[in-house]
Amino acid sequence: MANGKVLTGLGIGLAATLAFSGCSGAADDGTVTLQMVESLTNPARTELLETLIDEFEQENPGIEVELVSPPTDQADQKIQQMLQSGTGVDVLEVRDLTVGPFSTNGWLADMGPEFEGWKGWDALTDNAKNVATAGGKTYFIPYGFYGISLFYRTDLVEEAGFDGAPVSWEDLLEQASAIQDPEANTYGYAFRGGTNGYSNAALVIEAYVADDLDLENAYRLKNGDSMFSAPEALDAMELYIDLFEQASPPSSVAWGYPEMVEGFSNGSTAFLLQDPEVIAAVEQSTAITADQWTTAPMLVGPSGTAIQPLATAGWGIAEASEHRAESAKLIQFLSEGDASIRFTEGNSLVPILNGADEAEFYKTGAWESYLTMNEQPETYITAVQPRGVAWWTEWADKADAELQQVLIGQLTTEELLASWDAYWTEKWAAE
Amino acid sequence: MTTVEERPPTRAGAPAPATPAPAPRRRRAFTTRRGLVVAAFMLPAAIFVGVFIYYPMLAGSQMAFRHWNLSNLTDTSWIGLQNFATIFADPAFGVILGNSVLWVVASIVPQLVIGFALALWLRRKFRFRGLYQALIFFPWAISGFLIGILFRWMFNGEFGVVNDLLMKTGVIDQGIPWLAQPDTAMFAVIIANIWYGVTFFAIMILAALQSVPDELFEAAALDGAGKVRTLFKITIPYISTTLALTVLLRVIWIFNFPDIIWAMTGGGPANQTHIITTWMITFTQKGDYGVASALGLIVVGLLLVFSAFYLMALRGKKEVSS
């Protein structure tokens, strides 16, 4: 009996030891195990990340990395839970959407001391440096940028009698309306009315108020008012609603990312505004061939300029991590040289390294439009949307629901803009 | 085995019927020692339930009375009923409550009827019955969220199979944007839920039907009872307890089942297909766990009230019938 109790006790002790050994820490031989969590997970990306981690481990024999890859739609919540518990994560993927709440709650380490004197700084583009040192603290180093371009069907544009891709939002409405033919199951524009539908509405408004926009806060005008209060915003929204009513699939009121990409990939819609990651998805389409589509630069507003919102994500260190030096080493490895280039190319991202966009990869096919935009910064102006504010998710939810109300006729565009203006004015006043 | 004879209810003050008093049952003394032994056996389970069910429930409940927003957890002060006030003041709440009731009622009635019919059919002996059973029960093995995604594509207005079938059969001459209009979107999510939930009723009712002795049906046939009469006088009364509990369980589950709606419409268009639990998800996504917890308590309250009334009504019905 006594032996049984001893064995039970040993068993529980062993199980507990095994369970806790999964947590990050230093082994007896001095090896440090880092827990790394990614957010925008997909199988190909995880595989690439694992390859890079293997190379890092070979270069740094005393450090092992365990990569945690939750499904994308649950990843940020999972990361929040891990950070809130205060253990179990060293390196994490920080998005421009999550850096605000994570840092406000004290979950992110300011990596300034660890990156002091890092030789990789000089290789970063100005945009990457600005993001990495926003607010005077280094909460994350971006791994790349998401930039919008117009995916379009070259054959349908030509058949409709146009000699090139639309340049402005008005051109888009004209061309998409001409192509729209529901009876032939051909639609003009892959409208985004579902999740994150507000983001494209913000794009058209930004293009219309581009001359007066505060580039450090692309929801604000230079005079301090919200962009939704500008008279041009109403013109922009009316055009955008026309685009839905005259040149988009009726059911796109509920379309989110998958439906939009599917609509373009399966040949149903002629135009699509999306990030470059879609290039790879459309290339795999069997419904349209490579010579039937390409991309064009962002659409300009009446002043001839467009706003390119800078969306990004990167790698940061948890405040509770006990291995900051080793974590910084890993982030530095991923943010410089060959590893960074492979990661940005593998995930169709705009690179963070100076000169990396001059690689052949970015000069051909659908990537050409990005090169054009980079070469004409006065026309395609980069601006920072206030995506880091703590209430961004609340805003997205409200804006999506109200945009849908306009699309189904429950709200007017004037009421929509008044509501959005009041929301941001109130939030900024309370800051 | 002890048989319990149910006695008809008597009016207060009426003389008791002259039936012999039942023999007193022998009860084993419940000593302190025996109680301690029982408690010791139950303790691990009680600790498990306490730690994994009641503690999170209580911890979650207190969040409903605090400012608990992930965007700023440095302030988790006590705010009383403010989270509840936020919910009741929201104009969407009335619509969402109505949707929740519609979602449950419009889903459960067809699920019960179709599930019952399937169970009756599967009870019969015929060739490949096992295969049919497996095929019919298969959907229950799939996640609700996956079913939602499947139906979202099926109900897609432009390239969905539903419109394609309806157009090819001449029922409609142009595609319907099912998920883009409030009424059709609600209809579509309910259809998906009916399809998904029928199998649960079929499983439960089939299990209950297999406990009905064949002699009862034979006796009913000898007495000249037709199929309808046999169904209502023999089958349904015999399995009524299972039916009642299955309905109760399903009401609770369907009320708390956001998966299909979330995957198909995300509560849209313009919040018009939200039920309380999908609405709750939007608050958790915004990081507002305070309001989400308050909504959770509202759901618990509503379901407790429903369960109490439902069980009381069943008890009353049973007493009347006995």
Side-chain angles (χ1 to χ4, degrees):
Chain A
M1 186 73 182
N3 282 345
K5 281 181 182 170
V6 171
L7 284 174
T8 309
L10 282 174
I12 291 169
L14 184 64
T17 310
L18 287 172
F20 285 111
S21 67
C23 301
S24 67
D28 288 344
D29 62 356
T31 302
V32 169
T33 303
L34 298 177
Q35 295 278 341
M36 179 181 190
V37 198
E38 61 171 331
S39 168
L40 298 167
T41 318
N42 72 55
R45 181 192 203 258
T46 301
E47 197 181 324
L48 173 59
L49 203 50
E50 279 171 345
T51 309
L52 296 174
I53 286 171
D54 285 345
E55 291 169 17
F56 170 77
E57 286 175 339
Q58 280 170 13
E59 276 186 26
N60 298 273
I63 307 174
E64 285 180 1
V65 183
E66 285 180 0
L67 181 65
V68 181
S69 306
T72 302
D73 55 346
Q74 301 158 18
D76 285 336
Q77 282 195 336
K78 173 89 179 164
I79 292 172
Q80 275 176 1
Q81 286 161 2
M82 294 171 90
L83 292 170
Q84 201 175 358
S85 74
T87 53
V89 53
D90 295 293
V91 178
L92 67 147
E93 185 166 353
V94 183
R95 301 170 64 189
D96 49 9
L97 300 176
T98 55
V99 65
F102 286 5
S103 58
T104 304
N105 290 328
W107 294 336
L108 291 180
D110 174 11
M111 304 190 295
E114 282 77 18
F115 278 73
E116 186 84 45
W118 173 47
K119 62 178 173 29
W121 275 118
D122 293 340
L124 295 181
T125 61
D126 287 344
N127 277 341
K129 280 182 194 161
N130 287 340
V131 169
T133 55
K137 296 196 172 174
T138 303
Y139 286 124
F140 72 104
I141 304 291
Y143 52 60
F145 293 96
Y146 300 91
I148 306 277
S149 66
L150 180 72
F151 289 70
Y152 75 101
R153 285 283 297 277
T154 46
D155 54 343
L156 293 181
V157 165
E158 198 181 321
E159 279 169 29
F162 299 98
D163 56 6
V167 174
S168 68
W169 281 94
E170 288 197 352
D171 292 344
L172 174 67
L173 176 60
E174 188 190 352
Q175 292 199 10
S177 304
I179 291 170
Q180 176 98 338
D181 183 5
E183 284 182 12
N185 206 30
T186 303
Y187 299 90
Y189 176 62
F191 192 89
R192 184 166 203 163
T195 310
N196 287 332
Y198 77 91
S199 58
N200 285 5
L203 283 182
V204 63
I205 295 173
E206 283 167 346
Y208 270 64
V209 299
D211 289 348
D212 299 322
L213 206 63
D214 176 355
L215 301 183
E216 294 305 312
N217 183 346
Y219 272 24
R220 201 174 215 161
L221 301 175
K222 286 171 185 162
N223 66 9
D225 294 342
S226 90
M227 69 170 178
F228 306 112
S229 66
E232 295 88 348
L234 185 59
D235 298 336
M237 276 312 294
E238 283 176 351
L239 177 135
Y240 195 57
I241 301 304
D242 285 347
L243 193 57
F244 169 69
E245 289 174 349
Q246 298 169 24
S248 303
S251 68
S252 59
V253 64
W255 279 17
Y257 177 87
E259 288 87 355
M260 293 167 70
V261 175
E262 172 64 18
F264 188 80
S265 303
N266 72 17
S268 303
T269 54
F271 297 103
L272 167 73
L273 270 177
Q274 265 304 338
D275 294 325
E277 71 203 27
V278 174
I279 293 173
V282 182
E283 277 172 348
Q284 288 168 8
S285 168
T286 51
I288 50 174
T289 55
D291 58 346
Q292 283 181 292
W293 70 279
T294 187
T295 67
M298 277 280 290
L299 300 157
V300 301
S303 66
T305 51
I307 296 295
Q308 177 66 269
L310 206 65
T312 188
W315 306 112
I317 302 176
E319 178 66 33
S321 170
E322 291 174 2
H323 307 291
R324 290 198 189 179
E326 292 83 356
S327 299
K329 229 175 201 179
L330 173 61
I331 295 172
Q332 287 167 3
F333 173 84
L334 293 172
S335 308
E336 57 191 13
D338 181 54
S340 171
I341 290 169
R342 279 158 61 199
F343 191 78
T344 51
E345 288 188 2
N347 291 290
S348 295
L349 294 163
V350 177
I352 57 166
L353 302 183
N354 280 318
D357 56 352
E358 287 163 18
E360 201 54 35
F361 177 83
Y362 292 106
K363 286 181 181 165
T364 50
W367 277 100
E368 273 185 71
S369 62
Y370 290 92
L371 201 66
T372 309
M373 287 191 276
N374 276 346
E375 286 168 352
Q376 298 174 35
E378 293 81 18
T379 304
Y380 303 101
I381 303 163
T382 302
V384 182
Q385 289 185 336
R387 295 159 66 92
V389 294
W391 60 86
W392 186 264
T393 323
E394 179 189 87
W395 151 248
D397 186 59
K398 171 194 166 70
D400 276 354
E402 290 184 350
L403 178 62
Q404 282 191 324
Q405 281 182 289
V406 175
L407 299 177
I408 61 175
Q410 291 183 346
L411 203 68
T412 64
T413 46
E414 288 88 348
E415 287 168 336
L416 174 89
L417 290 169
S419 170
W420 289 4
D421 175 44
Y423 179 86
W424 281 94
T425 305
E426 190 186 316
K427 289 291 185 188
W428 285 330
E431 269 185 325
Chain B
M1 195 173 98
T2 313
T3 52
V4 179
E5 187 185 342
E6 284 192 353
R7 294 167 63 185
T10 59
R11 267 191 219 150
T19 48
R25 291 175 64 190
R26 275 190 68 198
R27 297 185 63 180
R28 294 178 71 176
F30 197 83
T31 60
T32 309
R33 184 185 162 80
R34 186 175 152 74
L36 283 174
V37 171
V38 171
F41 276 109
M42 287 177 65
L43 192 62
I47 291 172
F48 190 85
V49 170
V51 170
F52 292 104
I53 308 283
Y54 287 102
Y55 172 71
M57 213 165 82
L58 290 172
S61 302
Q62 56 93 23
M63 283 159 71
F65 304 97
R66 290 180 181 275
H67 175 270
W68 201 291
N69 197 313
L70 279 181
S71 64
N72 186 0
L73 283 178
T74 54
D75 171 22
T76 54
S77 53
W78 189 265
I79 54 169
L81 297 175
Q82 201 175 306
N83 286 328
F84 292 89
T86 304
I87 293 166
F88 294 129
D90 196 317
F93 180 67
V95 175
I96 289 166
L97 192 62
N99 281 348
S100 304
V101 174
L102 175 67
W103 166 248
V104 173
V105 175
S107 298
I108 207 161
V109 173
Q111 281 180 3
L112 174 63
V113 173
I114 301 168
F116 205 125
L118 277 174
L120 284 173
W121 178 58
L122 289 172
R123 189 178 180 276
R124 297 165 57 196
K125 292 184 176 69
F126 56 90
R127 214 172 172 199
F128 304 123
R129 183 172 73 154
L131 178 67
Y132 280 109
Q133 280 183 352
L135 286 174
I136 287 168
F137 296 159
F138 174 68
W140 196 247
I142 308 173
S143 102
F145 192 75
L146 201 63
I147 298 290
I149 292 172
L150 186 75
F151 273 81
R152 185 173 77 187
W153 287 110
M154 285 169 59
F155 277 105
N156 185 293
E158 281 70 42
F159 27 84
V161 69
V162 173
N163 272 348
D164 194 40
L165 277 175
L166 292 176
M167 284 166 80
K168 277 179 178 157
T169 51
V171 179
I172 54 173
D173 51 12
Q174 63 176 40
I176 298 170
W178 293 99
L179 303 180
Q181 306 168 144
D183 294 343
T184 51
M186 200 66 207
F187 173 78
V189 295
I190 288 171
I191 289 289
N193 195 30
I194 291 170
W195 182 84
Y196 185 50
V198 156
T199 54
F200 182 79
F201 272 105
I203 295 166
M204 296 297 285
I205 296 170
L206 180 62
L209 285 177
Q210 283 169 343
S211 70
V212 184
D214 287 338
E215 295 80 12
L216 278 181
F217 294 116
E218 287 161 12
L222 282 174
D223 288 344
K227 282 182 179 173
V228 176
R229 199 173 165 80
T230 307
L231 177 69
F232 285 100
K233 293 292 178 186
I234 306 281
T235 313
I236 293 179
Y238 200 91
I239 64 167
S240 62
T241 307
T242 305
L243 279 180
L245 283 175
T246 310
V247 168
L248 178 64
L249 280 176
R250 286 298 295 160
V251 167
I252 293 170
W253 287 352
I254 292 175
F255 203 90
N256 281 322
F257 184 57
D259 307 31
I260 285 179
I261 294 180
W262 192 252
M264 282 180 75
T265 64
N271 292 334
Q272 297 296 308
T273 57
H274 266 313
I275 58 170
I276 293 182
T277 43
T278 54
W279 202 36
M280 191 160 73
I281 294 175
T282 64
F283 283 102
T284 57
Q285 286 197 326
K286 282 184 267 188
D288 198 339
Y289 282 31
V291 173
S293 299
L295 270 172
L297 285 186
I298 291 171
V299 169
V300 170
L302 286 172
L303 289 175
L304 277 178
V305 169
F306 166 77
S307 304
F309 275 106
Y310 182 77
L311 290 173
M312 279 191 323
L314 279 180
R315 199 172 165 189
K317 201 177 166 191
K318 211 169 192 177
E319 280 171 0
V320 169
S321 65
S322 64

